Amino acid sequence: MANVRVERTDDGGFRATNGRGAEVRMGGGDEEGVFTPIELLLAAVGGCNIVTVEPLTAKRGHRLLRLAMTVSADKAEPNRLGPVTVTYDVELPSNEADEVFRAVAERVHEKYCTVSRSLSEGTEVRLELS
């Protein structure tokens, strides 16, 4: 089970923490040094893909020279995102590595990235008020 705690801070900002001591600050789009909730969602999509693609590609004998990505989305409605686009930026050591990377990245996108799959399949979000 995964969970995070999101709370307002003493300075009026917001932060999310996990049980391992990690913290990320968030706020509105006009505040410096923080992520918006939408940016965190996009980071989750990118993070889920990249932390899965990298070891699987390396395990197949191809350490990528550069592995980065941009994740973007526009709002389709004021309170709903349109399609999320993941664009890889890689430097490959060989043509064989290109084939392996592409196969792994597609498989991760289609089957193994929990975040992307949850968004694609419309995971239910429940509200509990205590």
Side-chain angles (χ1 to χ4, degrees):
M1 175 162 198
N3 70 56
V4 296
R5 179 171 175 82
V6 181
E7 61 189 340
R8 188 186 67 233
T9 59
D10 291 339
D11 64 1
F14 299 90
R15 77 170 161 230
T17 56
N18 67 17
R20 295 178 308 282
E23 176 180 311
V24 64
R25 295 180 34 202
M26 67 185 88
D30 57 346
E31 298 173 54
E32 292 295 318
V34 299
F35 283 94
T36 67
I38 291 172
E39 290 167 337
L40 289 172
L41 179 69
L42 298 177
V45 169
C48 183
N49 277 277
I50 207 165
V51 303
T52 308
V53 164
E54 198 282 328
L56 290 175
T57 304
K59 183 178 179 180
R60 286 159 179 76
H62 301 285
R63 176 104 172 114
L64 304 177
L65 302 175
R66 181 182 64 250
L67 175 59
M69 65 173 45
T70 301
V71 185
S72 60
D74 291 320
K75 285 193 173 183
E77 298 173 17
N79 62 349
R80 192 170 132 328
L81 286 179
V84 174
T85 302
V86 175
T87 306
Y88 277 91
D89 175 17
V90 297
E91 184 177 344
L92 303 157
S94 66
N95 287 338
E96 184 183 342
D98 181 56
E99 291 175 27
V100 171
F101 162 72
R102 288 176 183 280
V104 167
E106 287 177 14
R107 205 166 29 258
V108 166
H109 173 74
E110 292 170 4
K111 295 182 181 181
Y112 299 116
C113 176
T114 303
V115 177
S116 293
R117 289 195 66 221
S118 296
L119 287 173
S120 294
E121 295 177 13
T123 297
E124 178 184 0
V125 178
R126 298 178 184 153
L127 175 65
E128 293 183 9
L129 301 172
S130 54

